Amino acid sequence: MKKVLIDISPTGEISIEDDHGSAADVSQLLAKALGDVVSRKKTCATKPKATLQNLKQTNG
Amino acid sequence: MSHYTNISLLLKDETALVESLIELGWTLDQIEMHETPVNLYGFQGDRRKDVANIIVRRRFIGGASNDIGFIRGADGNYTAIISEYDQGWKFGEHWLNNLRQIYGVKVVERQAKLKGMSVKKSVKQDGTIQLVLVKA
């Protein structure tokens, strides 16, 4: 299944998110149709590893 | 893993731009489309030096308005030509942003249709329009 999320802000700013890269072709097509790409990045869905700082904050 | 793309919106689709103007209240026969740009007219009927490809004439705007137009640049992108007066009373930044938001939705809906994807539209509390495109 392909899924793409598009947010269009009241000021006309647009962000596109596609899941797992399966719909990357669609998001690229949309980007081209809508305007200029300002930035494109990948994000990891896995949880961040606990750091010493995080543990200290958790343990309060 | 997801991909996030941020876009700087450009008005480059004539059909979507005209559809957006219709959604803002004008009818198709009130919107002129010219391959070669033509002059805009001021509130006193005076011909202005400004030219545009897409025009809403002042008689369809009301008040002491001037014509509103959009000129297509060499890069194919449209720029709004709106007098200072009209920006001051109704067609300022807020109106333009609203137009851009509607335009963005029109472009996305068209592309989704071409790709055979369904579109679900919702509006967030901050006014952001969210479109979810799905293809099984």
Side-chain angles (χ1 to χ4, degrees), chain B residues 57-125:
Chain B
R57 296 295 181 188
R58 60 198 169 90
R59 64 180 178 277
F60 302 122
I61 297 171
S65 292
N66 308 285
D67 293 348
I68 285 177
F70 294 85
I71 186 162
R72 188 174 58 235
D75 55 4
N77 301 324
Y78 287 89
T79 302
I81 310 286
I82 301 172
S83 70
E84 204 171 309
Y85 171 81
D86 289 314
Q87 287 183 46
W89 78 280
K90 188 174 179 182
F91 302 101
E93 199 59 34
H94 179 75
W95 182 84
L96 264 178
N97 284 336
N98 190 22
L99 172 74
R100 288 156 60 84
Q101 196 180 30
I102 294 168
Y103 170 88
V105 172
K106 299 286 180 198
V107 171
V108 170
E109 285 176 340
R110 167 112 42 91
Q111 295 298 325
K113 195 175 177 183
L114 287 172
K115 281 282 182 183
M117 300 179 84
S118 65
V119 181
K120 190 179 171 189
K121 185 167 120 180
S122 60
V123 182
K124 294 181 177 178
Q125 267 192 333

Side-chain angles (χ1 to χ4, degrees), chain A residues 16 32 36 38 40-41, chain B residues 1 4-6 8 12 133:
Chain A
I16 302 172
K32 194 177 173 186
D36 287 338
V38 176
R40 182 168 166 81
K41 63 182 180 182
Chain B
M1 198 180 322
Y4 289 91
T5 310
N6 290 315
S8 172
K12 51 185 173 181
L133 276 56

Side-chain angles (χ1 to χ4, degrees), chain A residues 12-32:
Chain A
E13 289 148 357
I14 300 175
S15 64
I16 302 172
E17 179 188 354
D18 60 71
D19 59 335
H20 307 291
S22 65
D25 61 327
V26 178
S27 61
Q28 282 174 14
L29 183 78
L30 288 171
K32 194 177 173 186

Side-chain angles (χ1 to χ4, degrees), chain B residues 21-22 24-28 30-31 56 60-61 68 91 95:
Chain B
L21 291 170
I22 290 170
L24 284 169
W26 289 291
T27 58
L28 182 59
Q30 292 174 337
I31 302 166
V56 178
F60 302 122
I61 297 171
I68 285 177
F91 302 101
W95 182 84

